[in-house]
Structures are given as structure tokens and as C-alpha cells.
Amino acid sequence: MPAMGFYTDTSVCIGCKACQVACHQWNDLPAELAEQPAPDGSQPGKPRPLTGNSYDNTGSLSDVNWRHVKFIEKSRLPDGRVSYRPTDAGRDGLEWLMMSDVCKHCVNAPCLEVCPTGAIIRTEFDSVYIQEPVCNGCRACVAACPFGVIHMGGTANQGKGTAKKCTLCYDRLQHGLVPACAQACPTASIQFGPIDELRQRAEQRLQQLHAQGITNARLYGHDDTILGGLNAFYLLLDEPEVYGLPSNPKLPSRSVPSTSLWSLASAILMGLAGIVSFRKRRMDRFATETRADEEVAQ
Ligand code: SF4
Ligand code: SF4
């Protein structure tokens, strides 16, 4: 089975959020409410207040939002600087950068590396899947993911919940179906297929955009430089950080050698300090005893 995944071309995303809705619908994910409905159904619950941030009222990925369409408002300020904040005064030349964010199904996945129970596995499609019944709610994966994808949800593990995120529609793939989000996207911004094929398609699209003078276009996560490759990679129209994507995310194990060296150096210094202190105490005691002997002799 070849590695399967997503190529998301943000240059054709129209921000319709069909992908987000399809994900909710297929995975039976509830709405994110400010207040939950009464258990007996007498009160409907309260919707979340609007964020006031462009047309994005979801805010971020969460335990119930496994896809999130970002709206980034890019404009020029009167002094010529570029603004990405809808609240800046005097903005002109507004353009929206839209991006449907999701789990990146990293080839070297930090979440999978740190999970102590083996709840996070790699599937036959090369996707990263959380087996919720095996999750003990420790949150190690939440801290390890450099993209802020994983969130805890539900009431299992004495209320700590279990880790939740996009499954790459594992249940649909097992039956030969395309993931619900890709199926719903009306502009083919989200394309699903074998990763090798998607990479070729993305390279061609990049060349086409560059030939049209859109020199800001770039690919993110299409090769092995970011965590061995992202099985959900992107064509972006600005720096990755503008979209909230880190340029150079690290695997937790990459920081182990430097951390170990610092620990070793600290241990050596502590040992040396102990020897010096011990010698000093012995010298002080010897001097005191010598003085006492001299006083007795006098
Ligand atoms: S692949 Fe499935 S679970 Fe993942 S974002 Fe798309 S619809 Fe949601
Ligand atoms: S990725 Fe597709 S479905 Fe999602 S918001 Fe963009 S155009 Fe709509």
C-alpha cells in the first residue's frame, strides 16, 4: 500500500468550510458550545460568542474540530507595512489567505514517538491514528505535537479524557472511500491520493503559479526536510509562520543528545564542587586541631 495523504493548495481555497462541516458530519463530532445542553434536553446549550477575527469563528483545531479553516487578513498599512491583523486601522488592499488546517500525519511523528501506551499507531496507509481505548489521558502527545493538532476530549480516564484528532478517515479508507473533507471540497483545494503522485502535482502547480508571477507561492512539508515529510502537505502563498506553521519543527528525540550533554556537564561540575568543598572542610579541621595541639603544648 503506498503512503496516502493530502495535498492542500491554499491558492484555490475559497473559505467555504465545506471540509470542516463534512468532517463534523462524518465523524459525528458535536458543535463547540459555550455551555453544554442540559442532560434532560430541557436547555439547548449556548453557542460560542463570535471571535471578531475575520470570518473565523472556530478559532483553532480542537477535540471536536479536526479540521479548521483559517482566515488570515493580509493588507497594507498607510506606512507601507504589511498587516495580518483585522483590528489594524487604515488597512488597504485586503486579501484573504485561507487554509484548511488538519493533522499533518508526519512521517516521523512526535506524538507517536512519545506515547507511553502505544495508543498512537501508524496505519497501512502511513497515516497516524489514535486508538482511543488504549489512551490513558497523559497528554504527552499534546505537548509533543509542534502543530497544536491534538486535544483532549470526552470523559474517559476519570475525566481526563482521551487524545483526539483527524483519523485521515481511516474507516472510509478501509472501504476504498476518499476522506469526507476531500470529497466535499468544491475547488479541489484538498486533494487526496498517493503521496508521490500528489508531490508531482504540487510541483507542477508551483511552477504554474511562479510562471504567472505569483512568486510568494511555496510548498510546505512536501519533502523530507520537515519531520521526514508531511503526509498532509501544503502549497502556501506566504511564509509558513503567517499560517501558524513552524518553519523547522523538531522531534523530541532530537533534543535528547544536547540535553544529555548539559546533564553530564552539570554532573561533572557538581562532583568537582563536592570534592573542593570536602577538601576545604578537611583543611579547616586540620588547622583547628593543629592550633588546639599548639595551645595545649604551650
Ligand atoms: S480525513 Fe476525515 S477525520 Fe481527517 S479532517 Fe478529513 S474528514 Fe476529518
Ligand atoms: S479547503 Fe475546500 S472545502 Fe475547505 S474551505 Fe477551502 S474550498 Fe472550502
Side-chain angles (χ1 to χ4, degrees), residues 72-138:
I72 299 143
E73 293 196 10
K74 183 176 179 180
S75 57
R76 286 265 165 208
L77 296 177
D79 62 7
R81 283 181 298 133
V82 178
S83 159
Y84 295 102
R85 284 193 307 222
T87 48
D88 281 344
R91 296 181 308 148
D92 200 8
L94 176 68
E95 60 180 292
W96 270 305
L97 302 176
M98 290 152 187
M99 172 211 172
S100 183
D101 196 14
V102 74
C103 172
K104 314 297 178 293
H105 297 277
C106 318
V107 171
N108 298 323
C111 58
L112 193 150
E113 185 178 283
V114 300
C115 177
T117 65
I120 305 183
I121 58 164
R122 189 164 295 283
T123 72
E124 65 272 34
F125 303 103
D126 207 27
S127 60
V128 177
Y129 181 83
I130 300 175
Q131 305 174 99
E132 287 192 22
V134 191
C135 172
N136 69 2
C138 74

Side-chain angles (χ1 to χ4, degrees), residues 42-198:
S42 55
Q43 298 289 331
K46 283 199 182 141
R48 276 164 38 120
L50 302 181
T51 62
N53 179 22
S54 195
Y55 286 85
D56 177 8
N57 289 309
T58 306
S60 65
L61 294 170
S62 73
D63 60 326
V64 294
N65 292 309
W66 297 352
R67 258 206 189 269
H68 166 229
V69 182
K70 294 185 177 185
F71 282 68
I72 299 143
E73 293 196 10
K74 183 176 179 180
S75 57
R76 286 265 165 208
L77 296 177
D79 62 7
R81 283 181 298 133
V82 178
S83 159
Y84 295 102
R85 284 193 307 222
T87 48
D88 281 344
R91 296 181 308 148
D92 200 8
L94 176 68
E95 60 180 292
W96 270 305
L97 302 176
M98 290 152 187
M99 172 211 172
S100 183
D101 196 14
V102 74
C103 172
K104 314 297 178 293
H105 297 277
C106 318
V107 171
N108 298 323
C111 58
L112 193 150
E113 185 178 283
V114 300
C115 177
T117 65
I120 305 183
I121 58 164
R122 189 164 295 283
T123 72
E124 65 272 34
F125 303 103
D126 207 27
S127 60
V128 177
Y129 181 83
I130 300 175
Q131 305 174 99
E132 287 192 22
V134 191
C135 172
N136 69 2
C138 74
R139 294 172 174 259
C141 55
V142 176
C145 175
F147 303 107
V149 162
I150 305 182
H151 293 78
M152 305 303 288
T155 54
N157 296 313
Q158 281 106 34
K160 286 188 289 181
T162 52
K164 314 234 183 228
K165 71 164 190 76
C166 159
T167 62
L168 200 76
C169 279
Y170 187 43
D171 48 354
R172 289 175 67 95
L173 298 197
Q174 284 173 315
H175 291 89
L177 297 172
V178 168
C181 51
Q183 177 91 43
C185 179
T187 64
S189 173
I190 303 173
Q191 299 185 29
F192 174 79
I195 288 292
D196 288 344
E197 213 174 279
L198 293 177

Side-chain angles (χ1 to χ4, degrees), residues 7 39 113 157 161 204 231 243:
Y7 152 47
E113 185 178 283
N157 296 313
Q204 282 167 8
N231 285 341
Y243 297 84

